[in-house]
Amino acid sequence: MTEPGVREVVLHRAGSPAHAWVHGHEGGPLVVCTHGATMDGRMFDAQVGPLVAAGYQVLTWDLRGHGPPEAFTRLLLAFLAEHLPVLGR
């Protein structure tokens, strides 16, 4: 469930959903928070509140293959199906 004041966006691309959350009020300068490997968008939870309080709109998101486990599983299976036949030649 998404907390009040947060808009969740889900894009479905290449068999793997990409989840994003937009915090704050429309019209504020946008700050995009992109996580590193092995992380997800929750790593910015502590920064979101202060940024929104300062007037920014904050977008956090999960890169493809990060976040919900089912997203990683679908992405991994699609990757394996595409690459293993070629690599095994």
Side-chain angles (χ1 to χ4, degrees):
M1 182 171 156
T2 303
E3 61 191 73
V6 178
R7 182 170 51 95
E8 182 174 9
V9 179
V10 181
L11 297 175
H12 297 275
R13 299 285 189 269
S16 179
H19 293 263
W21 298 269
V22 182
H23 311 258
H25 302 286
E26 288 187 36
L30 180 64
V31 174
V32 177
C33 299
T34 303
H35 62 81
T38 73
M39 306 299 275
D40 64 25
R42 294 174 297 172
M43 75 175 286
F44 299 103
D45 285 354
Q47 289 80 27
V48 169
L51 286 167
V52 169
Y56 292 96
Q57 185 175 358
V58 182
L59 182 134
T60 58
W61 65 304
D62 292 336
L63 294 172
R64 283 186 64 196
H66 298 268
E70 64 274 6
F72 175 75
T73 301
R74 282 193 297 272
L75 183 62
L76 177 61
L77 291 175
F79 176 86
L80 293 174
E82 179 182 353
H83 290 84
L84 285 181
V86 175
L87 294 172
R89 290 184 185 170

